[in-house]
Amino acid sequence: MKAYSGWILIIAIVAIIFFSAKAVFVKMAYIYDIEPIPLLLLRMAFALPVYVVVAFAKKPNHPKEIVLKDYLWVVVLGFIGYYLASLTDFLGLEFIKASLERIILFVYPTLVIFITWISFGKRPSKWQIIAILVSYAGIFITFSAELRISGSKDDVWIGGLLVFLSALCYASYLVGSGWLIPKFGPVAFTSYAMIVSTFCVFVHFGLTQPLDLFSYPVEVYGLAFGMAMISTVIPSYLVSVSIKRLGASTFSILGSLGPIATIGLANIFLDERLTILQMFGAMIVITAVLMVTHKKSQQ
């Protein structure tokens, strides 16, 4: 890894920790009997004004190269990457621990490799295949340990599958956005995608939920606002700055702090505990994903 100035590394680490706190905010809000869809709507509603202002202020990098099809892809990717990925993640957190959620989500780089292979025929190297198999072995160890200690095995399976689907959606978004971000720029593209996601959440809420967002305890609104600012708006732009300065590969390697940060935060704020076997599984996952991202950075 090249030498970078201390401040950009701090920005990257703060972004990772802030993003990692999202699951903790969600689990804390669930204590007050709010369902996933209203909580997701509150999060996006608080974040929306910032994204709208930034979208108007930050114009695309190369507007002359952008055609109607590009904007349609922004809609598709906003739906998949921020609406569908967030929805399945929030639903999954009803059933599993925040720390287990982050460990499962962390396999998204391996899914990026699979999607790239299927979509573009770019076959992974033997080294990457080994690392991927090791990462899923770690998931199996952690997941199996949770099944043994959980009161409801069905809940663990449902939650785990939903969070894995969230990781798959996010990986699809990353693969699909690779050719759009250079045209729009990371800040403008993120803003547009988040606006699309918010619209999707509003439509979902309007079609499926009672139109009552003002009957929850004040703590719910505080947690939703904190999640919108601390775990959505601020890190989304810090990530853009970090990737621009460090490169995507280096930032991916630093991303290994994510599961560790979530485990620590969940321990402090939710009193969640992982067994020694689960911690071992988590370390295997983190190591394997680091192997994948480090190998990609050398290619």
Side-chain angles (χ1 to χ4, degrees), residues 88-169:
T88 49
D89 186 37
F90 275 50
L91 290 171
L93 279 166
E94 284 194 298
F95 300 99
I96 61 174
K97 296 175 180 176
S99 47
L100 181 58
E101 175 256 12
R102 181 55 52 177
I103 294 168
I104 296 172
L105 277 182
F106 191 62
V107 301
Y108 76 85
T110 68
L111 297 174
V112 168
I113 291 174
F114 277 124
I115 295 169
T116 303
W117 183 12
I118 294 170
S119 302
F120 305 107
K122 187 177 180 181
R123 185 181 178 86
S125 66
K126 291 181 180 179
W127 177 265
Q128 288 176 324
I129 292 174
I130 292 171
I132 289 169
L133 292 175
V134 171
S135 72
Y136 286 101
I139 289 289
F140 177 79
I141 291 170
T142 309
F143 200 76
S144 299
E146 185 66 22
L147 285 172
R148 283 197 294 270
I149 64 177
S150 174
S152 175
K153 292 181 173 57
D154 288 343
D155 283 356
V156 177
W157 276 111
I158 293 170
L161 289 172
L162 284 167
V163 173
F164 184 82
L165 179 58
S166 176
L168 181 61
C169 290

Side-chain angles (χ1 to χ4, degrees), residues 57-69:
K58 183 67 174 179
K59 302 303 180 183
N61 285 353
H62 304 285
K64 293 182 179 179
E65 298 179 11
I66 299 172
V67 297
L68 177 60
K69 184 177 69 173

Side-chain angles (χ1 to χ4, degrees), residues 247-263:
S249 297
T250 300
F251 183 80
S252 296
I253 294 171
L254 290 173
S256 61
L257 293 171
I260 299 171
T262 301
I263 291 169

Side-chain angles (χ1 to χ4, degrees), residues 7 19 52 66 116 137 176 255 267 280 286:
W7 68 267
F19 260 139
V52 170
I66 299 172
T116 303
N267 186 287
F280 176 68
I286 293 169

Side-chain angles (χ1 to χ4, degrees), residues 30-41:
Y30 283 166
I31 295 172
Y32 298 97
D33 295 324
I34 185 171
E35 295 183 356
I37 302 303
L39 180 60
L40 182 57
L41 177 62

